[in-house]
Amino acid sequence: MSRSLPRGRRPRLAAAAAALGLLAPLAACSSASTAVEACMAQQAVSATSGEVEGTYLGEGDAEGVKLTLKASDTRTGGTVTVHHWPTGDWYESELGETFDGSGTWDVEGGTRPGDHARVHLSFTAPELFLRGYTLDMLSVATDAERTYLYEDDDPDVCPAFRLRLT
């Protein structure tokens, strides 16, 4: 036989349970690194070109994208080659056409508390894609087993545009 609560307490318990259900997702996403860590790896505070060098394949919105970073003699960058890289203004909800291209890249670490490492891309071919018309900055997430480059656009959700080092 189950014990029931007096009628006056039922609505308060239901309201408390509903409030907890609404607040739980907020607690799970309380920091930018939480959402990233939950689906990929920890945001890297710093990185060298040797740590991020390699071939990356797209996941999520980046499905079908391939990015290859080759390090040069410097510690901070090298050359980049992309296949099926998206175009478009990043404030729009959908990605535009894709292109195959090349250029250079460099990596920089966080300079202030809370910052993290980023890879900057500069496309030289094709010339059509000037700065701002395609994604040219990716954040770095890494752990002992995985390295990701991703668009850091909404800190409360798993990044939709992400590439994993193969």
Side-chain angles (χ1 to χ4, degrees), residues 44-46 108-112 115-118:
V45 174
S46 65
E108 73 176 38
T111 56
R112 299 180 306 236
D115 278 356
H116 54 277
R118 289 185 168 88

Side-chain angles (χ1 to χ4, degrees), residues 82 87 99-103 122-134:
V82 295
T87 63
F99 69 96
D100 294 346
S102 60
S122 178
F123 295 104
T124 55
E127 292 179 18
L128 173 65
F129 301 105
L130 302 174
R131 193 174 219 37
Y133 191 68
T134 188

Side-chain angles (χ1 to χ4, degrees), residues 36 40 43 61-62 85-86 88-92 95 116 118 134-140 148-155 157-163:
V36 171
M40 295 186 314
Q43 288 179 315
D61 284 355
W85 197 255
D89 296 321
W90 289 92
Y91 57 83
E92 294 180 4
L95 303 177
H116 54 277
R118 289 185 168 88
T134 188
L135 181 60
D136 58 7
M137 183 173 63
L138 300 166
S139 294
V140 180
Y148 280 92
L149 300 179
Y150 64 97
E151 180 193 15
D152 191 14
D153 60 343
D154 185 349
V157 298
C158 182
F161 188 91
R162 60 189 183 273
L163 302 125

Side-chain angles (χ1 to χ4, degrees), residues 29-116:
C29 297
S30 62
S31 72
S33 64
T34 302
V36 171
E37 290 174 20
C39 69
M40 295 186 314
Q42 184 175 3
Q43 288 179 315
V45 174
S46 65
T48 65
S49 58
E51 292 170 328
V52 296
E53 178 181 33
T55 298
Y56 293 78
L57 298 179
E59 297 178 358
D61 284 355
E63 189 74 33
V65 173
K66 181 179 176 182
L67 174 134
T68 302
L69 301 175
K70 291 185 181 177
S72 65
D73 292 336
T74 69
R75 288 179 24 96
T76 62
T79 59
V80 60
T81 304
V82 295
H83 296 284
H84 303 292
W85 197 255
T87 63
D89 296 321
W90 289 92
Y91 57 83
E92 294 180 4
S93 62
E94 292 188 24
L95 303 177
E97 297 294 318
T98 63
F99 69 96
D100 294 346
S102 60
T104 60
W105 66 278
D106 61 69
V107 64
E108 73 176 38
T111 56
R112 299 180 306 236
D115 278 356
H116 54 277

